[in-house]
Amino acid sequence: MRASRDILVIDDEPIVRVCCERSLSLEGYSIDLAQDGLEGLRKLEDNQYGVVLVDIKMPTLGGEEVIKTLKRIAPETRVIVITGYATEEMREKALAMGADLYLEKPFSPKQLLGAIKNVTGEA
């Protein structure tokens, strides 16, 4: 398995991808970006990541399908769902599919870093 410091961010909102990349790069993480679920799955086929941040609602291929595939091909990878459509039902569904954590948009860099450290077990 690749180090937990390798992270893939899958989100259709450019601002979310850029903010995640900037915040986490400053902390020494290696970041790959995907603008939708299809691009994210292509990157997952070619690389291994310690953590995948994935939006649930995306055009073409949503986060639910990405999580199902990811858990089949790389079950050790930690998954953090990031969404602007937070409901208790969606949170429970994401966790039941195999997500390790659920982060509601908008989130701060501090919240993002805390979520990463939480799922990777970093101090």
Side-chain angles (χ1 to χ4, degrees):
M1 181 174 128
R2 196 110 143 168
S4 62
R5 300 192 72 77
D6 295 326
I7 298 173
L8 174 61
V9 179
I10 307 171
D11 196 297
D12 61 318
E13 296 178 66
I15 189 71
V16 173
R17 294 191 308 270
V18 169
C19 289
C20 288
E21 181 178 34
R22 286 184 184 162
S23 299
L24 296 172
S25 293
L26 289 172
E27 297 293 330
Y29 291 95
S30 175
I31 310 300
D32 276 346
L33 305 174
Q35 65 185 350
D36 59 41
L38 289 176
E39 183 181 4
L41 288 179
R42 282 193 295 272
K43 288 184 183 265
L44 286 164
E45 289 174 1
D46 297 333
N47 305 286
Q48 290 183 323
Y49 300 94
V51 179
V52 173
L53 299 167
V54 61
D55 189 9
I56 287 289
K57 301 269 188 199
M58 294 183 288
T60 312
L61 185 70
E64 291 179 29
E65 293 83 5
V66 172
I67 294 169
K68 288 176 189 173
T69 303
L70 172 61
K71 285 302 176 179
R72 191 179 73 248
I73 64 174
E76 71 283 355
T77 301
R78 300 290 166 223
V79 177
I80 299 174
V81 167
I82 53 177
T83 185
Y85 301 96
T87 65
E88 184 61 26
E89 180 184 342
M90 186 170 288
R91 185 187 73 77
E92 289 175 6
K93 187 174 183 179
L95 295 174
M97 284 187 299
D100 297 284
L101 202 64
Y102 187 86
L103 193 57
E104 186 175 345
K105 295 178 191 176
F107 47 82
S108 69
K110 184 178 179 179
Q111 289 170 313
L112 176 60
L113 183 59
I116 298 291
K117 289 184 174 188
N118 180 302
V119 300
T120 61
E122 293 180 40

